[in-house]
PDB file of all heavy atoms in Angstrom:
ATOM      1  N   TRP A  36      33.002  32.173 -23.336  1.00 96.00           N
ATOM      2  CA  TRP A  36      33.912  31.033 -23.379  1.00 96.00           C
ATOM      3  C   TRP A  36      33.835  30.404 -24.766  1.00 96.00           C
ATOM      4  O   TRP A  36      32.742  30.121 -25.259  1.00 96.00           O
ATOM      5  CB  TRP A  36      33.511  30.016 -22.306  1.00 96.00           C
ATOM      6  CG  TRP A  36      34.177  28.669 -22.408  1.00 96.00           C
ATOM      7  CD1 TRP A  36      33.674  27.543 -22.985  1.00 96.00           C
ATOM      8  CD2 TRP A  36      35.476  28.316 -21.918  1.00 96.00           C
ATOM      9  NE1 TRP A  36      34.565  26.511 -22.884  1.00 96.00           N
ATOM     10  CE2 TRP A  36      35.677  26.954 -22.231  1.00 96.00           C
ATOM     11  CE3 TRP A  36      36.473  29.018 -21.242  1.00 96.00           C
ATOM     12  CZ2 TRP A  36      36.850  26.275 -21.894  1.00 96.00           C
ATOM     13  CZ3 TRP A  36      37.628  28.350 -20.902  1.00 96.00           C
ATOM     14  CH2 TRP A  36      37.813  26.995 -21.217  1.00 96.00           C
ATOM     15  N   TYR A  37      34.995  30.214 -25.394  1.00 96.00           N
ATOM     16  CA  TYR A  37      35.069  29.529 -26.681  1.00 96.00           C
ATOM     17  C   TYR A  37      35.351  28.050 -26.415  1.00 96.00           C
ATOM     18  O   TYR A  37      36.454  27.689 -26.018  1.00 96.00           O
ATOM     19  CB  TYR A  37      36.177  30.127 -27.541  1.00 96.00           C
ATOM     20  CG  TYR A  37      35.889  31.525 -28.050  1.00 96.00           C
ATOM     21  CD1 TYR A  37      36.827  32.543 -27.927  1.00 96.00           C
ATOM     22  CD2 TYR A  37      34.683  31.819 -28.683  1.00 96.00           C
ATOM     23  CE1 TYR A  37      36.571  33.819 -28.401  1.00 96.00           C
ATOM     24  CE2 TYR A  37      34.418  33.095 -29.157  1.00 96.00           C
ATOM     25  CZ  TYR A  37      35.365  34.085 -29.017  1.00 96.00           C
ATOM     26  OH  TYR A  37      35.114  35.350 -29.498  1.00 96.00           O
ATOM     27  N   ASP A  38      34.344  27.230 -26.636  1.00 94.00           N
ATOM     28  CA  ASP A  38      34.493  25.825 -26.256  1.00 94.00           C
ATOM     29  C   ASP A  38      35.466  25.078 -27.155  1.00 94.00           C
ATOM     30  O   ASP A  38      36.228  24.231 -26.695  1.00 94.00           O
ATOM     31  CB  ASP A  38      33.129  25.131 -26.280  1.00 94.00           C
ATOM     32  CG  ASP A  38      33.134  23.849 -25.463  1.00 94.00           C
ATOM     33  OD1 ASP A  38      33.520  23.890 -24.284  1.00 94.00           O
ATOM     34  OD2 ASP A  38      32.784  22.791 -26.022  1.00 94.00           O
ATOM     35  N   GLN A  39      35.454  25.392 -28.459  1.00 94.00           N
ATOM     36  CA  GLN A  39      36.374  24.692 -29.360  1.00 94.00           C
ATOM     37  C   GLN A  39      37.832  25.006 -29.042  1.00 94.00           C
ATOM     38  O   GLN A  39      38.689  24.121 -29.050  1.00 94.00           O
ATOM     39  CB  GLN A  39      36.063  25.052 -30.810  1.00 94.00           C
ATOM     40  CG  GLN A  39      34.750  24.459 -31.303  1.00 94.00           C
ATOM     41  CD  GLN A  39      34.522  24.732 -32.776  1.00 94.00           C
ATOM     42  OE1 GLN A  39      35.216  25.541 -33.400  1.00 94.00           O
ATOM     43  NE2 GLN A  39      33.527  24.063 -33.343  1.00 94.00           N
ATOM     44  N   GLN A  40      38.096  26.277 -28.731  1.00 95.00           N
ATOM     45  CA  GLN A  40      39.472  26.680 -28.391  1.00 95.00           C
ATOM     46  C   GLN A  40      39.805  26.423 -26.928  1.00 95.00           C
ATOM     47  O   GLN A  40      40.952  26.543 -26.520  1.00 95.00           O
ATOM     48  CB  GLN A  40      39.684  28.166 -28.703  1.00 95.00           C
ATOM     49  CG  GLN A  40      39.587  28.515 -30.175  1.00 95.00           C
ATOM     50  CD  GLN A  40      38.194  28.977 -30.549  1.00 95.00           C
ATOM     51  OE1 GLN A  40      37.190  28.476 -30.031  1.00 95.00           O
ATOM     52  NE2 GLN A  40      38.116  29.946 -31.463  1.00 95.00           N
ATOM     53  N   GLN A  41      38.763  26.139 -26.126  1.00 95.00           N
ATOM     54  CA  GLN A  41      38.940  25.930 -24.695  1.00 95.00           C
ATOM     55  C   GLN A  41      39.622  27.132 -24.034  1.00 95.00           C
ATOM     56  O   GLN A  41      40.608  27.020 -23.303  1.00 95.00           O
ATOM     57  CB  GLN A  41      39.757  24.651 -24.430  1.00 95.00           C
ATOM     58  CG  GLN A  41      39.019  23.372 -24.780  1.00 95.00           C
ATOM     59  CD  GLN A  41      37.901  23.061 -23.790  1.00 95.00           C
ATOM     60  OE1 GLN A  41      38.151  22.781 -22.616  1.00 95.00           O
ATOM     61  NE2 GLN A  41      36.651  23.115 -24.262  1.00 95.00           N
ATOM     62  N   GLU A  42      39.048  28.333 -24.320  1.00 96.00           N
ATOM     63  CA  GLU A  42      39.595  29.547 -23.724  1.00 96.00           C
ATOM     64  C   GLU A  42      38.519  30.609 -23.577  1.00 96.00           C
ATOM     65  O   GLU A  42      37.505  30.588 -24.267  1.00 96.00           O
ATOM     66  CB  GLU A  42      40.759  30.081 -24.568  1.00 96.00           C
ATOM     67  CG  GLU A  42      40.358  30.509 -25.963  1.00 96.00           C
ATOM     68  CD  GLU A  42      41.540  30.976 -26.790  1.00 96.00           C
ATOM     69  OE1 GLU A  42      42.678  30.628 -26.425  1.00 96.00           O
ATOM     70  OE2 GLU A  42      41.320  31.667 -27.798  1.00 96.00           O
TER      71      GLU A  42
END
Side-chain angles (χ1 to χ4, degrees):
W36 168 263
Y37 290 131
D38 199 53
Q39 290 185 348
Q40 295 94 324
Q41 291 288 294
E42 64 182 19

